[in-house]
């Protein structure tokens, strides 16, 4: 059988019946995923959900050429043969599976907890990560290098700056990093678990705070999922405003990141300017909805705030002013020779590693990989208005910075164009009850990359399961790879060039 | 070099005059919510029912909003059949005690300054260690903003430092997850006494949207004593700055 017959091909944001998903044996399931990835597919989600006493595995592969997604499932007891030895992309997903559902992917090369919490299955202590003292964050095995002049550096969970908690261990030879281990879970607050049986009145707020700097991205993914499940049609005007908000979110964060990168190498002019200009973009979002992060704007059925002509004019005028400012600030980076000198050849990720790990977002595009949900799996306004994919080939800090700069320019162009064409229509429609026993995959290109939500309803149209894959989930391994062979003093710079989410990962 | 100078000229001077003069906030800014109780119908609990964090109590004593739980989310305003609930542009929301965050009438107290001795110690120089304990990184983002040229926190003698041992206190965000509780304790213990604790955001005050999850502890004061509560989800940078300056007696 070919891999295609072992899976169901679907589209982003189109609901299907749960019973239509091919139910495979674990052997077929492995083949389907492993072959699908070998054929150029990428694991967008791989998760478990309880099916009686057993665990149902569901895999969603993204096929970049065709713009389709493929789905397959299998039920496993315990243990089952791990996919990771044949498909490294499954590595982190299977660690999550083992931790959440207490199943053992047998043959997994490095089975450790990723969030340090109790298992969801029968509330048992998780198979991985428990010891006599219960579950303690970062109390687990760490890969160690031994030898003369080899030493270990551990940082976190509380860091030096105002950032989220995480624990990093570097195996170093002198100044050189041989290996970095990333240990997360400090931000774990049980969101996925709390989403079951929803939607409830808290659901949209969970979505807006999965990763607070990506409120619009995650809220959009959620809304598109429930709209598909309810069969609602979102008015065009609302789709435009969602797109504008998504690109404003990208603008603010990319600008902030460029400033932070400048700060990390001590180039203060751009650091100071971009820190401020980031706020100018956030304030544009606040001009639309009163909140700088877009909280309260994206709602099932459309958007909760409209803009009149005056507000559009103001938005456009302030957008141009911010573009002028960010242009002078960022040009300084490229024109000051000491800046590219520090960015170039630092934190390299090869294209092959990027493909093997299934990295997403600007990090992947900086390896020359044309991977962008807005282009390949478009939903909402992006089905009609295309934003060219921005790539750079070099896979280093420079490329990750430069891709952000290219995207800033394209996002501004998009917003300018969309706001100029905004025409009258309602901004929101009622969303009825969700259909029973359906599944939908909802992808959105957040500023960090692919956001993937998978919603599954039960017989009464409530969430039997809700899976969230933040882009950071794919990319943390990329950071570890980028650090290999680097000077440990380059960690802050490399880290900032990825700027991954801890809370989005930890959920 | 010349380009850098030209860029500097183009970028101009951007520091706001705060605390002097009125700060500029967007017209749709959601500051203090107020309820015109005269408009409320008997027995109506529409606002209380939709509130995602059960921040509203509506009974025979009227409508009370717990700003420590409020996400400033518009749900209650939109649900009210009589338009009794409105947001104001009032951004000065920080309070010294948890009880003062419960809004009963239309007016809210302003945070009182520390006592004379603490003001003598911290009033002109306050070093804070920030601890992020399980939120969404929204509060952290808007705390970080205080370090930009717009707010220029340093001009008030307030600074975020890298080590708790160099700090006069902690600024805590997030509901305090089970996985961060120990780290928060240790960081608190490492700050020399006397020390201050500032809880920023709905999560750090009450658990926010994650309230009562088994994975969290419903806020900073479940773990350490808190001297200042700054409500919001996340609070506007001006709300945080205003709270800090009031605590130090720099605004009265
Ligand atoms: S604005 Fe505050 S009080 Fe009103 S519904 Fe939202 S969280 Fe509750």
């Amino acid at each position: 059988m070919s891999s295609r017959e072992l899976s169901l091909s679907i589209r982003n944001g189109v609901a299907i019946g749960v019973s239509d998903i091919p139910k495979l044996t674990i052997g077929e399931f492995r083949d389907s995923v492993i072959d699908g990835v070998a054929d150029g597919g990428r694991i967008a989600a791989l998760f478990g959900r309880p099916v009686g006493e057993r665990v149902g595995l569901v895999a969603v592969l993204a096929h970049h050429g065709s713009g389709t997604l493929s789905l397959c499932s299998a039920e496993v007891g315990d243990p089952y043969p791990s996919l990771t030895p044949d498909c490294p992309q499954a590595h982190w997903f299977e660690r999550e599976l083992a931790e959440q559902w207490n199943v053992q992917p047998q043959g997994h090369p490095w089975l450790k907890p990723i969030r340090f919490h109790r298992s969801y299955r029968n509330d048992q202590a998780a198979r991985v990560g428990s010891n006599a003292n219960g579950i303690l964050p970062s109390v687990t095995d760490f890969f160690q290098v031994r030898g003369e002049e080899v030493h270990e550096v551990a940082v976190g969970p509380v860091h030096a700056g105002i950032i989220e908690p995480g624990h990093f261990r570097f195996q170093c030879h002198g100044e050189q990093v041989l290996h970095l281990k990333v240990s997360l879970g400090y931000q774990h607050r049980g969101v996925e678990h709390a989403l079951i049986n929803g939607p409830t009145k808290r659901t949209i707020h969970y979505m807006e705070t999965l990763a607070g700097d990506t409120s619009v991205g995650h809220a959009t993914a959620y809304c598109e999922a429930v709209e598909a499940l309810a069969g609602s049609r979102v008015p065009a005007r609302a789709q435009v405003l969602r797109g504008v908000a998504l690109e404003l979110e990208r603008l603010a964060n990319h600008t902030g990141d460029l400033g932070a990168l400048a700060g990390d190498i001590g180039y203060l002019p751009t650091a100071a300017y971009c820190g401020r200009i980031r706020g100018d973009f956030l304030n544009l979002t606040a001009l639309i909805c009163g909140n700088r992060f877009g909280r309260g704007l994206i709602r099932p059925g459309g958007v909760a705030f409209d803009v009149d002509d005056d507000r559009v004019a103001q938005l456009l005028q302030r957008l141009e002013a911010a573009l002028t400012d960010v242009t002078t600030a960022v040009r300084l980076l490229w024109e000051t020779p000491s800046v590219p000198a520090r960015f170039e050849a630092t934190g390299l990720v090869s294209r092959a590693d990027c493909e093997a790990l299934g990295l997403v977002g600007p990090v992947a595009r900086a390896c020359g990989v044309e991977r962008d949900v807005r282009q390949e799996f478009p939903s909402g306004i992006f089905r009609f208005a295309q934003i060219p994919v921005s790539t750079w080939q070099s896979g280093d800090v420079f490329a990750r910075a430069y891709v952000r700069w290219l995207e800033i320019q394209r996002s501004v162009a998009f917003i300018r164009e969309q706001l100029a064409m905004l025409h009258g229509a309602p901004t929101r429609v009622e969303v009825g009850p969700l259909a029973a026993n359906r599944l939908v995959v909802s992808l959105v290109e957040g500023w960090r990359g692919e956001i993937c939500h998978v919603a599954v309803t039960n017989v009464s149209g409530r969430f039997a399961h809700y899976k969230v894959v933040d882009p950071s989930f794919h990319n943390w391994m990329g950071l570890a790879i980028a650090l290999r062979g680097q000077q440990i003093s380059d960690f802050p710079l490399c880290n900032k060039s990825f700027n991954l989410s801890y809370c989005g990962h930890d959920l | 070099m010349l380009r850098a100078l030209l860029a500097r000229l183009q970028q101009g001077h951007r520091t706001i005059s705060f605390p002097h003069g009125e700060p500029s906030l967007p017209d749709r800014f959601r500051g203090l919510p107020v309820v015109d109780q005269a408009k409320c119908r008997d027995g109506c609990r529409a606002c209380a029912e939709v509130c995602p964090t059960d921040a509203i109590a509506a009974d025979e004593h009227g409508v009370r909003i717990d700003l420590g739980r409020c996400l400033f989310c518009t749900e209650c305003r939109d649900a009210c059949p009589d338009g009794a609930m409105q947001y104001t542009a009032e951004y000065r929301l920080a309070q010294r005690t948890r009880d003062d965050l419960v809004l009963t009438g239309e007016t809210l107290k302003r945070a009182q300054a520390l006592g004379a001795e603490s003001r003598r110690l911290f009033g002109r120089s306050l070093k804070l260690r920030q601890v992020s304990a399980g939120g969404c990184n929204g509060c952290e983002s808007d705390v970080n903003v205080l370090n930009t040229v717009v707010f220029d926190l340093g001009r008030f003698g307030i600074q975020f430092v890298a080590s708790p041992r160099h700090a006069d206190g902690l600024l805590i965000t997030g509901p305090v997850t089970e996985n961060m509780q120990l780290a928060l304790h240790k960081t608190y213990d490492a700050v020399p006494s006397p020390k201050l604790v500032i809880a920023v955001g709905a999560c750090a005050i009450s658990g926010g949207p994650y309230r009562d999850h088994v994975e969290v502890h419903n806020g900073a004061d479940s773990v350490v004593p808190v001297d200042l509560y700054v409500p919001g989800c996340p609070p506007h940078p001006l709300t945080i700055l205003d709270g800090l300056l009031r605590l130090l007696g720099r605004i009265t």
Side-chain angles (χ1 to χ4, degrees):
Chain A
M1 254 196 279
S2 84
S3 66
R4 281 313 157 107
E5 292 167 299
L6 289 175
S7 62
L8 174 71
S9 183
I10 60 166
R11 296 227 160 238
N12 178 20
V14 179
I16 49 133
V18 172
S19 56
D20 297 336
I21 307 167
K23 285 191 199 64
L24 310 178
T25 64
I26 183 64
E28 290 169 334
F29 181 83
R30 285 183 90 258
D31 289 347
S32 175
V33 175
I34 293 164
D35 294 349
V37 170
D39 288 347
R42 185 179 50 80
I43 303 180
L46 169 61
F47 60 94
R49 59 194 200 93
V51 182
E53 283 298 292
R54 292 162 70 79
V55 175
L57 306 184
V58 179
V60 182
L61 298 195
H63 300 279
H64 292 276
S66 59
T68 56
L69 303 165
S70 63
L71 267 178
C72 61
S73 69
E75 277 178 26
V76 293
D78 184 18
Y80 77 93
S82 167
L83 283 75
T84 304
D86 300 304
C87 178
Q89 269 180 34
H91 164 227
W92 212 261
F93 289 103
E94 286 198 305
R95 279 172 61 178
E96 182 189 50
L97 265 171
E99 183 168 35
Q100 289 189 336
W101 301 106
N102 239 350
V103 290
Q104 182 151 27
Q106 219 166 29
H108 191 290
W110 199 219
L111 201 58
K112 285 152 40 92
I114 63 168
R115 301 193 180 102
F116 299 88
H117 60 74
R118 288 177 73 79
S119 162
Y120 293 168
R121 194 163 156 216
N122 313 328
D123 198 32
Q124 293 154 336
R127 157 151 293 127
V128 290
S130 302
N131 59 34
N133 301 319
I135 301 174
L136 292 170
S138 292
V139 177
T140 181
D141 294 338
F142 283 85
F143 181 79
Q144 276 194 319
V145 181
R146 292 210 184 81
E148 260 180 68
E149 291 181 37
V150 171
H151 62 108
E152 184 178 80
V153 178
V155 297
V158 180
H159 304 285
I162 304 176
I163 53 170
E164 299 179 78
H167 180 70
F168 300 101
R169 281 206 203 172
F170 302 88
Q171 304 295 316
C172 297
H173 181 256
E175 290 292 298
Q176 199 191 29
V177 179
L178 299 174
H179 187 70
L180 160 65
K181 291 234 78 138
V182 178
S183 180
L184 303 174
Y186 296 92
Q187 298 279 68
H188 179 62
R189 51 212 187 281
V191 186
E192 270 190 346
H193 212 202
L195 289 169
I196 308 282
N197 274 325
T200 66
K201 58 187 182 177
R202 277 200 203 178
T203 307
I204 186 74
H205 304 283
Y206 286 135
M207 298 299 163
E208 290 184 330
T209 56
L210 288 168
D213 49 25
T214 316
S215 290
V216 173
H218 275 292
T220 303
Y222 166 71
C223 288
E224 290 184 349
V226 291
E227 286 150 7
L229 291 168
S232 320
R233 292 181 76 96
V234 177
R237 188 179 181 88
Q239 290 183 358
V240 170
L241 289 172
R242 281 182 182 179
V244 167
L246 187 73
E247 295 312 308
L248 283 173
E249 190 166 86
R250 194 178 325 275
L251 282 166
N253 284 295
H254 280 8
T255 303
D257 283 351
L258 289 172
L261 284 166
D264 265 331
I265 58 164
Y267 189 67
L268 299 183
T270 303
Y273 306 148
C274 283
R276 193 255 314 160
I277 304 161
R278 169 182 171 275
D280 291 349
F281 286 121
L282 293 176
N283 289 339
L284 290 183
T285 303
L287 183 61
I288 299 176
C289 71
N291 180 289
R292 288 154 52 90
F293 297 89
R295 305 265 164 99
L297 174 60
I298 314 291
R299 285 294 178 269
V303 289
F305 292 83
D306 200 1
V307 289
D308 59 13
D309 291 348
D310 279 353
R311 206 170 287 266
V312 168
Q314 230 193 104
L315 278 168
L316 285 169
Q317 185 213 333
R318 285 167 58 178
L319 180 73
E320 295 307 327
L323 177 66
T324 307
D325 288 354
V326 75
T327 305
T328 35
V330 174
R331 282 222 175 115
L332 285 180
L333 286 181
W334 322 132
E335 291 168 355
T336 307
S338 57
V339 175
R342 281 289 281 113
F343 284 2
E344 282 165 7
T346 304
L348 272 174
V349 180
S350 69
R351 188 178 173 130
D353 283 348
C354 170
E355 301 270 17
L357 293 170
L359 305 184
V360 296
V363 169
R365 296 193 282 275
C367 299
V369 178
E370 289 204 23
R371 186 169 286 172
D372 188 325
V373 174
R374 292 171 295 175
Q375 188 66 238
E376 298 172 293
F377 309 98
S379 60
I381 184 62
F382 299 105
R383 285 171 299 164
F384 312 108
Q386 262 134 34
I387 299 185
V389 182
S390 307
T391 58
W392 199 253
Q393 305 295 326
S394 53
D396 50 7
V397 171
F398 177 83
R400 293 190 280 278
Y402 202 72
V403 163
R404 284 177 168 94
W405 167 233
L406 294 174
E407 294 187 3
I408 285 173
Q409 298 168 75
R410 286 171 171 171
S411 294
V412 170
F414 170 87
I415 296 173
R416 196 189 275 142
E417 199 181 292
Q418 291 302 316
L419 283 181
M421 302 192 314
L422 200 63
H423 32 238
T427 46
R428 194 170 174 185
V429 293
E430 261 320 301
V431 173
L434 310 187
N437 296 322
R438 313 247 333 146
L439 176 146
V440 64
V441 179
S442 175
L443 301 180
V444 167
E445 186 71 20
W447 65 274
R448 280 195 186 91
E450 178 184 283
I451 294 167
C452 174
H453 288 202
V454 186
V456 186
T457 53
N458 62 17
V459 281
S460 38
R462 320 273 313 168
F463 294 138
H465 200 76
Y466 199 99
K467 182 75 215 150
V468 175
V469 189
D470 186 82
S472 305
F473 193 90
H474 300 284
N475 282 2
W476 275 108
M477 264 311 280
L479 174 64
I481 295 299
L483 252 287
R484 292 230 170 130
Q486 295 295 306
Q487 299 282 297
I488 190 167
S489 53
D490 278 340
F491 175 64
L493 182 60
C494 291
N495 190 24
K496 205 61 63 61
S497 73
F498 280 76
N499 192 8
L500 302 176
S501 174
Y502 300 71
C503 54
H505 172 276
D506 291 348
L507 302 173
Chain B
M1 191 62 204
L2 188 62
R3 285 209 187 89
L5 285 173
L6 286 173
R8 175 71 194 84
L9 270 179
Q10 190 262 328
Q11 299 281 340
H13 175 83
R14 304 293 187 134
T15 307
I16 55 173
S17 58
F18 189 84
H20 307 293
E22 278 303 301
S24 92
L25 289 161
D27 61 336
R28 287 175 172 174
F29 174 71
R30 290 174 238 144
L32 183 70
V34 292
V35 186
D36 181 353
Q37 315 248 0
K39 287 190 182 164
C40 290
R41 301 178 195 184
D42 276 353
C44 174
R45 299 191 68 255
C47 53
E49 270 153 26
V50 295
C51 177
T53 52
D54 300 317
I56 305 183
D59 53 27
E60 65 277 16
H61 306 297
V63 175
R64 294 178 305 287
I65 305 180
D66 179 355
L67 296 179
R69 290 197 190 188
C70 180
L71 307 180
F72 296 78
C73 73
T74 75
E75 244 75 76
C76 54
R77 179 191 64 186
D78 298 345
C80 179
D82 301 299
M85 176 109 33
Q86 290 305 328
Y87 289 100
T88 64
E90 181 57 83
Y91 64 93
R92 296 165 294 188
L93 307 175
Q95 301 296 330
R96 293 295 307 281
T97 70
R98 186 67 186 82
D99 288 346
D100 286 342
L101 285 166
V102 181
L103 183 69
T104 39
E106 286 193 7
T107 50
L108 189 69
K109 281 203 232 172
R110 301 272 154 73
Q112 289 287 312
L114 292 163
E117 176 57 12
S118 296
R119 248 155 62 204
R120 190 184 64 76
L121 280 171
F122 304 129
R124 290 163 62 87
S125 163
L126 178 68
K127 310 284 177 202
L128 294 171
R129 172 63 254 172
Q130 196 270 337
V131 179
S132 169
C136 75
N137 201 29
C139 290
E140 289 82 346
S141 296
D142 268 352
V143 169
N144 249 324
V145 157
L146 297 178
N147 287 320
T148 63
V149 294
V150 179
F151 297 92
D152 192 14
L153 192 63
R155 72 194 151 120
F156 302 106
I158 307 173
Q159 196 194 347
F160 288 97
V161 292
S163 166
R165 298 196 191 282
H166 302 163
D168 302 312
L170 298 181
L171 186 150
I172 301 171
T173 54
V176 186
T177 55
E178 177 63 20
N179 284 349
M180 268 307 283
Q181 194 193 23
L182 179 64
L184 176 59
H185 257 301
K186 286 188 172 179
T187 309
Y188 179 78
D189 289 345
V191 177
S193 294
K195 48 190 155 189
L196 298 174
V197 173
I198 298 154
V200 171
C203 285
I205 300 175
S206 67
Y210 319 114
R211 186 177 177 80
D212 296 335
H213 286 198
V214 292
E215 296 85 353
V216 308
H217 290 275
N218 287 352
D221 62 10
S222 64
V223 182
V224 293
V226 171
D227 299 280
L228 184 74
Y229 297 89
V230 186
C233 185
H236 192 277
L238 279 173
T239 305
I240 307 170
L241 183 55
D242 172 76
L244 290 172
L245 296 182
R246 280 179 200 280
L247 182 71
L248 299 179
R250 305 281 294 263
I251 313 181
T252 43

